[in-house]
Amino acid sequence: MKGIQFVDLIDAGDPAALAVAHAEAGADEIVLLDITATHEERGTLIETVRRASRGLFIPFTVGGGIRELRDAAAVFDAGADKISINSAAVARPELIEEIGRSFGAQAVIVAIDARRAADGADPVRGAEVFIAGGRKNTGLRVLDWAREAESRGAGEILLTSMDADGMRNGFDCELTAMVSESVSIPVIASGGAGTAAHFAEVFDGGRADAALAASIFHFGVSSARELKTELATHGIPVRLPC
Amino acid sequence: MIRTNTSNVTIVDYRAGNLASVVKAVTALGATPEVTSDPEVVAKASKIILPGVGHFAATQFLSDRGLTAAMRSRIADGVPFLGICVGLQWLFEGSTEAPGVSGGGFLRGHCERFVTAEKVPHVGWNSLSVRPQSRLMAGVADGSYVYFTHSYRAGQQEDAVAVTNYGGPFTAAVEAGNIMGVQFHPEKSGKAGLTILKNFLEL
């Protein structure tokens, strides 16, 4: 499923089949997010995770609906390598530590859905954290929450710009740079990818350690292979598929 | 899918993270993995994989349960051994991550945290400088990318058969006779990783 600024969701196809297809097209990592799990009070789609993981030999991250350590354990058991937590980490930040202790810090990604502040002198520094699939403003500053997530042992931060999401106008490089320069763990930029040049921008000016895209791959605008071939011409080191 | 015609392999479970992906990868290659924490099973293994994700302190479980002794005895018998990530680190004398916990001591030196201006942990795909005569790395082209996720590493040393650079060179893969280890995750490294696992399974 894929949306625009977190709404107008449309079905992009079977997640397990898509995951394997993207891996074969040269994706370096697969992230499967059940974006309405918290809102609809559902658990993670364990069976989908299990099916997807069978054909995946690259890192596989799963998020959505993980509220407790035992939810995380079930997702790892189904074949995920990392879990991504969002709403549940805001509700109870100790969850980051609990999962890290059991499965290693590298297995815990804290996902942050961020929206630039509507007013104030600095909308980027004032950006706020939203939960429940972007439905609820927590009032937390993105910068403060990213630092806390790091101090509690998160292995990576998946930073999604709600403003840029689905627009295909480019990542929010200012927001990404602000977070990436404030923490010492990798930051994955998400939201807004439309062209290969957008990736080059977010790696360079945005200081992103990785970038995530959905729309442009799901709807065949570009495959991971095409994208990486073009990034290589921009001088960005990439793993080109065989 | 590349498949191997090989027999079974014993995967040592020491409660350090999740073994599912290693089991899945070797199964896809046609092997029949046996996952165990029982030293008596390990003592009869024809091939051993020691996986590992997480903290070096988790390897304390190995000596507590008699698994270190069982693996040591099998390694002395010449059985092929592959340590993955923390499993590779365990081959050394120890790690500054858990100073009170001894490694297997098969390789000289200690693992240490990255000292670099780069971000730690080192997460993601990185390329290998491969030493050509390695059995483990056969068919893996120099410059191939594999997937890493770790904060500690072994410096360069003589048994390295692949070296990676992250704030300086470090050991990505070792091979000393039947003793082998990889700091990266071959089970998560696409075709290059599956080639390495297949090489091991066919030894």
Side-chain angles (χ1 to χ4, degrees):
Chain A
M1 198 181 276
K2 184 58 204 145
I4 295 173
Q5 293 189 321
F6 282 47
V7 292
D8 296 335
L9 301 175
I10 59 171
D11 194 338
D14 171 40
L18 278 171
V20 174
H22 290 316
E24 281 167 7
D28 288 329
E29 186 151 356
I30 298 292
V31 181
L32 177 67
L33 299 175
D34 182 358
I35 52 178
T36 59
T38 298
H39 175 62
E40 294 171 7
E41 296 186 358
R42 285 184 288 111
T44 313
L45 301 169
I46 292 293
E47 211 30 57
T48 304
V49 173
R50 205 180 299 281
R51 279 194 302 126
S53 81
R54 262 185 224 132
L56 284 179
F57 300 102
I58 60 171
F60 182 33
T61 299
V62 176
I66 295 165
R67 297 176 191 87
E68 298 173 43
L69 183 59
R70 66 172 177 202
D71 301 329
V75 172
F76 285 122
D77 190 50
D81 302 300
K82 311 181 202 178
I83 56 95
S84 161
I85 49 177
N86 185 332
S87 307
V90 172
R92 205 169 61 80
E94 297 78 15
L95 184 61
I96 302 169
E97 287 148 336
E98 290 168 11
I99 300 173
R101 266 199 301 275
S102 293
F103 297 96
Q106 82 297 325
V108 188
I109 295 182
V110 171
I112 302 178
D113 293 335
R115 176 159 269 170
R116 287 183 174 215
D119 45 30
D122 191 338
V124 175
R125 288 197 84 78
E128 289 169 317
V129 178
F130 283 66
I131 56 168
R135 285 172 181 79
K136 194 175 162 201
N137 185 354
T138 63
L140 279 169
R141 290 272 181 101
V142 170
L143 203 51
D144 296 338
W145 177 228
R147 285 181 176 143
E148 179 170 359
E150 178 186 26
S151 74
R152 288 186 182 271
E156 294 172 76
I157 286 174
L158 170 58
L159 178 67
T160 300
S161 161
M162 294 175 61
D163 305 295
D165 180 65
M167 305 297 279
R168 303 193 210 170
N169 287 331
F171 294 92
D172 188 335
C173 290
E174 287 177 71
L175 177 78
T176 308
M178 175 191 75
V179 175
S180 187
E181 284 165 359
S182 305
V183 296
S184 62
I185 52 176
V187 174
I188 307 161
S190 162
T195 65
H198 293 154
F199 285 84
E201 285 163 18
V202 82
F203 290 134
D204 185 14
R207 322 295 299 159
D209 299 287
L212 178 149
S215 304
I216 65 161
F217 298 143
H218 286 166
F219 304 114
V221 174
S222 169
S223 70
R225 186 189 304 269
E226 288 168 44
L227 171 65
K228 290 166 98 179
T229 305
E230 195 169 335
L231 284 176
T233 68
H234 286 268
I236 291 173
V238 290
R239 178 186 68 112
L240 290 167
C242 309
Chain B
M1 176 59 64
I2 33 178
R3 291 179 80 88
T4 164
N5 53 9
T6 190
S7 54
N8 54 345
V9 55
T10 300
I11 298 177
V12 180
D13 180 4
Y14 59 108
R15 311 287 187 265
N18 118 73
L19 305 178
S21 51
V22 176
V23 170
K24 196 178 56 166
V26 298
T27 304
L29 288 164
T32 311
E34 175 182 45
V35 177
T36 187
S37 302
D38 182 349
E40 290 185 21
V41 173
V42 173
K44 295 182 191 127
S46 57
K47 262 181 201 114
I48 299 171
I49 294 180
L50 182 67
V53 170
H55 202 281
F56 192 82
T59 62
Q60 180 66 42
F61 184 93
L62 298 172
S63 39
D64 291 351
R65 293 296 185 93
L67 288 163
T68 297
M71 288 190 286
R72 195 180 292 285
S73 142
R74 271 333 250 159
I75 287 169
D77 292 341
V79 161
F81 177 96
L82 179 67
I84 297 175
C85 194
V86 175
L88 159 97
Q89 297 177 5
W90 175 80
L91 288 170
F92 290 85
E93 293 165 60
S95 170
T96 54
E97 185 173 25
V101 179
S102 299
F106 299 95
L107 302 171
R108 284 215 192 120
H110 282 75
C111 298
E112 292 174 350
R113 197 175 163 86
F114 281 107
V115 183
T116 171
E118 308 274 356
K119 290 190 175 181
V120 178
H122 171 220
V123 178
W125 296 80
N126 208 335
S127 58
L128 299 174
S129 299
V130 179
R131 208 166 77 188
Q133 64 272 38
S134 163
R135 291 185 294 167
L136 186 63
M137 304 303 292
V140 178
D142 193 45
S144 293
Y145 278 79
V146 291
Y147 185 78
F148 292 86
T149 172
H150 61 129
S151 298
Y152 290 76
R153 87 286 183 263
Q156 275 188 296
Q157 56 103 36
E158 57 185 22
D159 296 311
V161 290
V163 171
T164 298
N165 208 306
Y166 191 74
F170 70 90
T171 297
V174 290
E175 181 175 334
N178 58 321
I179 301 172
M180 300 171 201
V182 288
Q183 179 58 65
F184 51 89
H185 288 273
E187 74 281 11
K188 291 283 128 190
S189 296
K191 196 165 168 249
L194 292 177
T195 300
I196 292 164
L197 287 174
K198 180 172 175 282
N199 289 342
F200 176 75
L201 292 170
E202 289 183 345
L203 284 173

